[in-house]
Amino acid sequence: LDITEGTIYTASHRRYRALQMWDFGSGQLIQDIPWVPAAGQSTCFILAAQSGHGLSKDTIAVGGCGSKEMRWVNKEGQALGRMAGLTGAVHGVTFNSSGEHLAVTCSNQVQILDLASSAGSTFLTQ
């Protein structure tokens, strides 16, 4: 659950209609944000999602289990980037306040992505 500028974004651990956009004032569903599995991949059951800030204000980071991937999408659901082949399910995603970096946690890893340059760092925990 994430509330941004009068819009509520919900993510749910289910096969269909897992990522949705709602109007805060009326409580009405605005739209389902599609999640189409990559070719040969299983469905991703969403465990974590957050809307961006600053430079990433028009994006949503989403991750989960099944396909063990994280994606960031625009608010219409169009894919902007993807991390696949992670060590386990994605349990957390968060943007820094400027929206330039995105942290992704899974299993025993923390991935930090520089969204402006698409560079990343991997940190392994014990």
Side-chain angles (χ1 to χ4, degrees), residues 62-80:
V62 185
C65 62
S67 60
K68 297 180 190 172
E69 68 178 316
M70 185 282 303
R71 294 183 191 179
W72 57 103
V73 299
N74 65 21
K75 294 188 177 176
E76 287 73 48
Q78 183 177 31
L80 303 173

Side-chain angles (χ1 to χ4, degrees), residues 10-19 35-38 41-49 61-71 88-93 105:
T10 59
S12 180
H13 187 271
R14 59 185 181 176
R15 187 174 301 278
Y16 304 105
R17 303 180 72 194
L19 189 58
W35 182 290
V36 179
Q41 293 290 319
S42 61
T43 299
C44 182
F45 291 96
I46 297 173
L47 298 173
V62 185
C65 62
S67 60
K68 297 180 190 172
E69 68 178 316
M70 185 282 303
R71 294 183 191 179
V90 174
H91 293 281
V93 293
T105 62

Side-chain angles (χ1 to χ4, degrees), residues 4 7 19-20 26 29 33-35 43 56 63 66 75 80 87 90 110 115 118:
T4 304
T7 303
L19 189 58
Q20 297 178 312
S26 69
L29 177 66
I33 300 173
W35 182 290
T43 299
S56 298
K75 294 188 177 176
L80 303 173
T87 59
V90 174
V110 176
L115 298 176
S118 298

